[in-house]
Amino acid sequence: MMRMMRVFATNSPLSDDGIARGLSVLRAHVKKLGLKSSVTRDAVAKAALERVGHFTVEDLITDIRKDSTLDVHPATVYRILPLLLDACLIQHSLLANATGARYERLFEREHHDHLICIRCGKVVEFEFEAIELLQRDVAERLGFRLTEHVLELMGECASCTRHEESR
Ligand SMILES: [Zn+2]
Ligand SMILES: [Zn+2]
C-alpha cells in the first residue's frame, strides 16, 4: 500500500546532542574516505547542523565568524559542502527564484520537497511517496543512478487565493 502524503511541521533546532551525533557521522564518513580531520570542516558542519530552515553559504559564513576566529571563505565552504551532502547531513533546496544555492539540514529530519507561494513566499514542506517513486522510475528508465533531487511546486497558497477572490 502506498503511503499517504505527509506535510511536515516547521523545522525545529537540533539539540546539542543531535549536533554532536551529526558531527560524528561526518567524521566517520570523512575517515572512510581517508581524509584528515579539519577544524574548518567541523565548523562548517556545526553551523549547518545548527541552522533552522533554509540557508545559503553566506549564512554559514556569518554564523562561523560570529562564534569563532576562523576566517572561512565561500570557496572553502563550497569545497566542504559535497561531503556534508554525501554524509546526508544536508540536502539541496532551491526555493524558487532565490539567488544562490540553498541548503537545509537533513540529518535527523526526513527528505521532503517544497511548495512555494509566489505571492507571500510561504513554504510548505511535504513528502509524497508516489512522486518519490516516479522520480526514481524516470531516472532508472533514462539510465541515471539517482543521488538526489530537488522538487519545488510554485503557486498561490490558500490565503493568497482567498484574499484575491475577496477583492
Ligand atoms: Zn522528494
Ligand atoms: Zn525544506
Side-chain angles (χ1 to χ4, degrees), residues 111-113 126-127 131-132 135 149 151:
H111 165 75
H112 58 267
D113 297 304
F126 70 93
E127 195 217 4
I131 294 177
E132 297 295 322
Q135 290 178 117
H149 69 260
L151 175 71

Side-chain angles (χ1 to χ4, degrees), residues 55-87:
F55 56 83
T56 63
V57 162
E58 292 304 325
D59 290 331
L60 294 183
I61 291 172
T62 306
D63 290 356
I64 293 166
R65 287 185 180 156
K66 229 182 285 168
D67 61 47
S68 77
T69 52
L70 283 173
D71 191 21
V72 183
H73 296 276
T76 313
V77 178
Y78 279 114
R79 198 162 34 74
I80 291 169
L81 287 179
L83 286 169
L84 270 56
L85 288 160
D86 267 7

Side-chain angles (χ1 to χ4, degrees), residues 25-36:
V25 164
L26 178 68
R27 285 181 192 131
H29 180 73
V30 159
K31 202 175 164 192
K32 214 169 59 193
L33 296 174
L35 298 172
K36 270 189 263 169

Side-chain angles (χ1 to χ4, degrees), residues 11 53-54 91-93 95 103-105 109 112-114 123-126:
N11 192 1
H54 309 93
Q91 72 170 6
H92 278 108
S93 56
L95 303 178
Y103 306 85
E104 67 185 314
R105 174 167 59 85
R109 294 186 77 207
H112 58 267
D113 297 304
H114 298 96
V123 174
V124 177
E125 304 190 320
F126 70 93

